[in-house]
Amino acid sequence: MIRLAPSILSADFSKLGEEVNTIEEAGAHLIHVDIMDGHFVPNISYGATVMKSLVGKTKLAFDVHLMIENPDLYIDDFVTENTEFITVHVEACPHLHRTIQHIKSLGIKAGVALNPATSLSVLDYIIDDIDMVLIMSVNPGFGGQNFILSALDKVKELKEIKDITNSNLLIELDGGVNLNNVKEIIDAGVEIVVAGSSVFNVDNIEKRVKEFLETF
Ligand code: DX5
Ligand code: ZN
């Protein structure tokens, strides 16, 4: 099953609850939560308080994408009854194994994100311990950037590894996804599709979510 995870980074924060209800009713599967610290990435987004304001307002699970330095200090803040995934960047985790074990000890699925220039080989000794790999198809930090094509090759390679090892690992992709490229992205092996600006920066969010789901 392919899942759509709209990123609320591109939502209108003055009516966040409303827009989350709209994507939920339209059939989106997850809420992608982009946390940026202005250090690991050159932009600051929002923190756990904003995410937690949605607890009790939606049944959708949170897919937390931490684009921050020292994520170990903040992981616990993102644990809520809605939190399904917490993903950390391999580039920000010198003790990745320990970080992953910590996320799992909290009863949350653990993901590892790779920047566009990071090789899949960093996963060699952690792949059996994680639930998801997030392939970045833009340099993290901003919504609305152009899709970096080499991400597709990376997804295909990861899919081969997944098939050989017969693992339950999920493949997620994030950045520059739109209605024109989503089919190719899914064909390459992506199971969780993140989309920010192409879901929220439109006149009719509900219609756009449904258009995405029709391509799945
Ligand atoms: C980028 C974030 C993305 C972003 C995607 O750093 O991790 O989740 O919101 O936005 P779009 O879909 O507009 O590229
Ligand atoms: Zn993201």
Side-chain angles (χ1 to χ4, degrees), residues 32 34 65 67 174:
H32 186 78
D34 282 310
H65 178 193
M67 290 162 276
D174 182 6

Side-chain angles (χ1 to χ4, degrees), residues 7 9 32-36 63 65 67 134 136 174-175 194:
S7 165
L9 183 68
H32 186 78
V33 178
D34 282 310
I35 305 298
M36 305 177 180
D63 169 34
H65 178 193
M67 290 162 276
L134 169 50
M136 290 305 301
D174 182 6
V194 179

